[in-house]
Amino acid sequence: MQIYRNTVNGSLAEPVSSHEAYNPATEQLLGMAPESDEQEVDRAVEAAAIAQKSWAERSDQQRRDSIHEVARILEENAGYLSELITREQGKPLSGPGSIFEMQACVGWTQVPASLELEPEVVYEDDERKDTLHRVPLGVVAAIAPWNWPLMIAIWQIIPAIRMGNTVVLKPSEYTPIATLEMVRLINQALPAGVLNTVTGDGRIGSKLTHHPDISKIMFTGSETTGRRIIEASASSLSPITLELGGNDAAIVMPGTNIKNIATDLFWGAFLNMGQTCACIKRLYVHEDDYETVMTELSAIASEMKVGDGMDKSVTIGPLQNKMQFEKVRELVSDAKTSGCDIREFGEPPEKGYFMPVTLVGDIRDGQRLVDEEQFGPALPIIRYRDPEDAIESANRLEAGLGASLWADNPAEVAELAMQLEAGTVWINQHGAIHPMVPFGGNKASGYGVEFGLEGLKAVTQSRVISIKK
Ligand code: NAD
């Protein structure tokens, strides 16, 4: 049986202990996933701290070259890693699935490697010149979730190492294996200690984020854990980038041509079986368009094949884990008992954490499936009368990650877009992230941004050199 290992200081670590990891589609054993203890966290942070000095001393060009080499290794191993993602996380190989996740990993590696963050003269007169430089922070603790395990780890790792930091990454306890394999492979392009992993649940995450030698925490996950991370940062005064949960609203403007947008709406909601932070989780449609929206989305949903994503004709895989499977089913069953219009599509296999693609109509604000982040393939579709009411509904929750407006003429909604309380407001698209465009949440969806130059700045501290002339 395959035994997977952490990478600490450039070498594969003998597992302290291990647990069996299963494929969520077939319930078959995938292999043994290692679990770190507190001593392994100490070893990983120490290795990262030692490596950081010489990594930061390398020229910027040398670090960029190493990162381009990382991108090459990711491309070369994309087939192997995408199959492992499908077998561990569940998203299909096809469509916006695991092959797409690997392509994103490559893109989000190449782009930070190609960006320039030059020192900036912030003030100059006859008497003085002040220049702002960006210097590394030190060791970055990266804590990742289970929904896009490799892509989100790459979002955390690459900007950090690009700017001269080193990293200790803790993947989610639900999806450690593909991430460990990716880290093992890309370590070939990096000096020992620059990128390390530890594994385990929140206790190991907590040990890592409380470690006194951590200088920055990058966290992606739930709001509850996010609050614990903030508490943990108090001991080391580490700055944090917090990417938390979302409950994104999409609002379709009255009279919009639904046929034109139905496919994008569908995938905006059902990407990765809805287990995506910035997915459409509440769809607001004008009462006159409601039936058309239900009909068009039903037509698309009925074409989906639900099953094991290793089969290339499958477009909808299982949920990743039992906890999530039960949570989403409970929200749908709550909607069923309150008389909502439930339409289910696809024939889920008996085994595995499969759910049908579920559209839920005749539902209102205040019901659990609307107000709670479902993180699964069940979309509530809510009628509105006045677009201003839909904006108010969109803003009434604490989450503020993304939102979208859909209209035949995008110019018509430009002003409304500014009223939506979200880190990104998309028009005629949803979740359309890009490695050059800053991404982050408003309100309870977190703070700080990733991607682009802003993302690079977030893994540095500023140092001003002020010269008297
Ligand atoms: P989670 O908060 O349960 O776990 C995330 C990570 O935190 C895991 O690695 C976990 O082991 C670790 N952790 C748990 N307790 C910890 C502690 N006390 N200290 C340190 N680490 C700890 O989240 P999840 O269920 O894995 O992910 C799903 C959530 O993530 C959803 O709410 C989703 O919307 C959100 N998410 C947000 C983004 C974004 O970019 N904003 C992206 C993906 C997912």
Side-chain angles (χ1 to χ4, degrees):
M1 185 197 320
Q2 181 83 37
I3 297 172
Y4 296 93
R5 291 180 168 81
N6 278 298
T7 299
V8 176
N9 202 20
S11 304
L12 292 176
E14 217 33 63
V16 178
S17 62
S18 301
H19 69 266
E20 292 173 343
Y22 290 90
N23 179 329
T26 60
E27 297 180 13
Q28 277 167 355
L29 190 61
L30 260 183
M32 298 301 290
E35 283 182 48
S36 301
D37 59 9
E38 297 204 344
Q39 288 70 35
E40 188 159 64
V41 177
D42 287 335
R43 283 197 294 279
V45 175
E46 190 188 350
I50 293 169
Q52 199 268 324
K53 308 271 175 295
S54 48
W55 180 243
E57 277 164 17
R58 290 194 174 202
S59 72
D60 197 45
Q61 189 56 46
Q62 282 174 316
R63 285 200 298 269
R64 294 166 75 147
D65 290 347
S66 299
I67 295 172
H68 280 301
E69 179 59 11
V70 166
R72 197 197 57 74
I73 294 173
L74 289 171
E75 255 178 326
E76 193 176 272
N77 292 281
Y80 168 64
L81 291 172
S82 53
E83 288 193 5
L84 208 45
I85 295 172
T86 296
R87 290 194 288 126
E88 181 184 41
Q89 198 278 333
K91 64 172 68 75
L93 286 168
S94 303
S98 58
I99 292 174
F100 167 81
E101 179 163 359
M102 284 314 301
Q103 287 162 349
C105 288
V106 173
W108 262 271
T109 300
Q110 286 169 336
V111 169
S114 65
L115 293 176
E116 297 279 357
L117 196 53
E118 299 287 355
E120 191 187 339
V121 177
V122 286
Y123 186 73
E124 185 165 17
D125 63 16
D126 294 343
E127 283 151 27
R128 60 186 291 158
K129 183 175 179 184
D130 299 84
T131 309
L132 180 107
H133 298 256
R134 295 277 170 183
V135 299
L137 282 148
V139 179
V140 173
I143 311 270
W146 48 261
N147 57 340
W148 291 90
L150 276 65
M151 181 178 78
I152 290 176
I154 285 289
W155 293 354
Q156 298 173 329
I157 296 165
I158 299 298
I161 64 175
R162 165 78 170 86
M163 297 315 294
N165 306 283
T166 53
V167 173
V168 179
L169 166 73
K170 192 197 84 61
S172 167
E173 60 273 34
Y174 291 112
T175 52
I177 285 177
T179 312
L180 294 185
E181 282 298 272
M182 175 178 79
V183 168
R184 174 180 71 77
L185 290 161
I186 65 182
N187 249 274
Q188 294 163 26
L190 300 169
V194 169
L195 173 58
N196 310 272
T197 54
V198 293
T199 41
D201 60 16
R203 283 165 298 185
I204 292 300
S206 175
K207 164 76 183 170
L208 177 60
T209 50
H210 279 92
H211 199 291
D213 294 337
I214 291 297
S215 304
K216 162 92 192 181
I217 305 170
M218 301 197 69
F219 173 73
T220 301
S222 65
E223 184 191 330
T224 313
T225 311
R227 291 183 193 278
R228 296 200 181 111
I229 301 279
I230 296 170
E231 284 167 16
S233 72
S235 54
S236 58
L237 284 180
S238 301
I240 318 175
T241 300
L242 272 186
E243 296 282 8
L244 307 181
N247 197 342
D248 293 11
I251 303 172
V252 180
M253 297 307 285
T256 303
N257 183 331
I258 306 298
K259 238 186 180 27
N260 286 349
I261 61 170
T263 301
D264 287 345
L265 279 179
F266 181 87
W267 284 113
F270 290 98
L271 176 69
N272 195 20
M273 292 71 75
Q275 302 166 119
T276 299
C277 52
C279 248
I280 300 175
K281 293 179 179 144
R282 301 176 281 155
L283 176 60
Y284 290 89
V285 298
H286 191 263
E287 54 189 7
D288 294 345
D289 300 323
Y290 174 83
E291 286 306 333
T292 319
V293 169
M294 290 302 272
T295 308
E296 292 294 333
L297 289 182
S298 300
I300 296 168
S302 61
E303 284 165 11
M304 296 298 141
K305 184 167 170 192
V306 181
D308 179 356
M310 293 300 285
D311 169 351
K312 286 202 170 158
S313 65
V314 162
T315 44
I316 300 284
L319 276 88
Q320 201 281 323
N321 57 66
K322 190 158 185 269
M323 174 272 297
Q324 195 59 31
F325 174 68
E326 283 172 357
K327 182 180 154 193
V328 185
R329 290 213 318 176
E330 187 189 314
L331 292 175
V332 173
S333 120
D334 179 75
K336 253 181 205 160
T337 13
S338 48
C340 297
D341 171 14
I342 315 270
R343 304 188 191 178
E344 296 178 328
F345 302 88
E347 284 163 31
E350 293 276 299
K351 255 192 177 164
Y353 303 131
F354 289 100
M355 274 188 66
V357 175
T358 308
L359 301 175
V360 181
D362 292 339
I363 189 164
R364 283 180 301 280
D365 285 355
Q367 290 187 243
R368 286 188 63 196
L369 185 64
V370 179
D371 284 16
E372 294 177 29
E373 183 189 27
Q374 68 276 51
F375 221 56
L379 176 68
I381 299 155
I382 308 132
R383 292 183 175 88
Y384 73 82
R385 200 164 280 169
D386 183 334
E388 290 294 336
D389 295 339
I391 298 278
E392 203 178 307
S393 286
N395 289 341
R396 60 180 267 282
L397 301 180
E398 274 310 305
L401 188 59
S404 59
L405 289 164
W406 301 73
D408 288 344
N409 175 9
E412 176 198 324
V413 291
E415 270 180 38
L416 277 186
M418 284 304 291
Q419 293 179 31
L420 283 166
E421 296 165 1
T424 307
V425 179
W426 287 283
I427 297 177
N428 291 342
Q429 53 185 359
H430 199 109
I433 53 172
H434 188 282
M436 283 299 288
V437 181
F439 174 66
N442 283 186
K443 305 201 291 187
S445 290
Y447 48 73
V449 291
E450 295 182 287
F451 314 163
L453 283 175
E454 294 304 316
L456 291 186
K457 288 179 192 168
V459 279
T460 63
Q461 51 196 330
S462 58
R463 182 160 302 154
V464 172
I465 304 297
S466 183
I467 305 172
K468 184 178 178 188
K469 285 185 173 170

